[in-house]
Amino acid sequence: MVFRKKLLVVLLILFGTTFAQKKEAQSFIISVDSRYKSREIYHSKEHFLGALMGIKKVGKGMFMVSPGDIDPPWASEELIAEVLGDDYLWYPAVGNHELPEEDPRYLPYLRKMNKDGKTLPNIVKKGPPGCEETTYSFEIGDCHVALLNVYYDGKSDH
């Protein structure tokens, strides 16, 4: 009887080990305050370029989330593509430096990146009316991420 229990335990362990799905580790990057207003001043290893080079060296993960202060967003997007590749997934969110008071071009650019809440990859839910493009959630692998625009007032995303 004892032998049978031991055999059963050994078989269960072997069965579980053999057929258990091994999941790969998943990682992503959070990068904030990547301000890049002047290429002459900020295109250096001491600023966002250096951070991106470090990210590339240690592993860029599945995607990057930038929760604000990415001004100007087009410069951040271009630099990310330059260092991490054109196909690298980048999900920006609105911070105080993306508001119209800072520069009226920033928020329309971010809206265009996720036109109608559907153009960024892997979107599963867009934001409420008036904030469809700047509040959204997406899924990649086992990760479900929601980016909220904290400046949404129930009518407008700024």
Side-chain angles (χ1 to χ4, degrees), residues 45-141:
K45 291 180 182 179
E46 289 80 30
H47 294 91
F48 191 44
L49 173 61
L52 291 174
M53 291 169 64
I55 289 166
K56 183 176 182 179
K57 186 176 180 178
V58 300
K60 58 186 184 175
M62 300 180 301
F63 57 89
M64 179 186 292
V65 172
S66 294
D69 296 353
I70 50 176
D71 61 316
W74 50 85
S76 293
E77 182 179 34
E78 288 171 9
L79 191 59
I80 290 167
E82 178 184 316
V83 177
L84 301 179
D86 287 330
D87 60 342
Y88 187 69
L89 297 175
W90 180 51
Y91 295 92
V94 176
N96 64 311
H97 289 286
E98 286 73 46
L99 296 177
E101 297 80 17
E102 182 85 19
D103 190 312
R105 301 172 296 166
Y106 295 174
L107 197 53
Y109 188 87
L110 292 176
R111 288 181 188 131
K112 185 178 177 188
M113 285 184 71
N114 192 27
K115 187 154 178 54
D116 298 322
K118 301 184 227 175
T119 55
L120 284 171
N122 308 304
I123 296 292
V124 293
K125 184 135 176 97
K126 62 183 180 177
C131 198
E132 297 90 341
E133 296 137 336
T134 58
T135 289
Y136 55 91
S137 67
F138 63 93
E139 290 182 352
I140 298 175

Side-chain angles (χ1 to χ4, degrees), residues 4-20:
R4 280 184 160 169
K5 286 183 182 177
K6 286 183 181 176
L7 180 62
L8 180 59
V9 170
V10 170
L11 288 175
L12 288 174
I13 290 171
L14 288 174
F15 180 79
T17 303
T18 304
F19 293 100

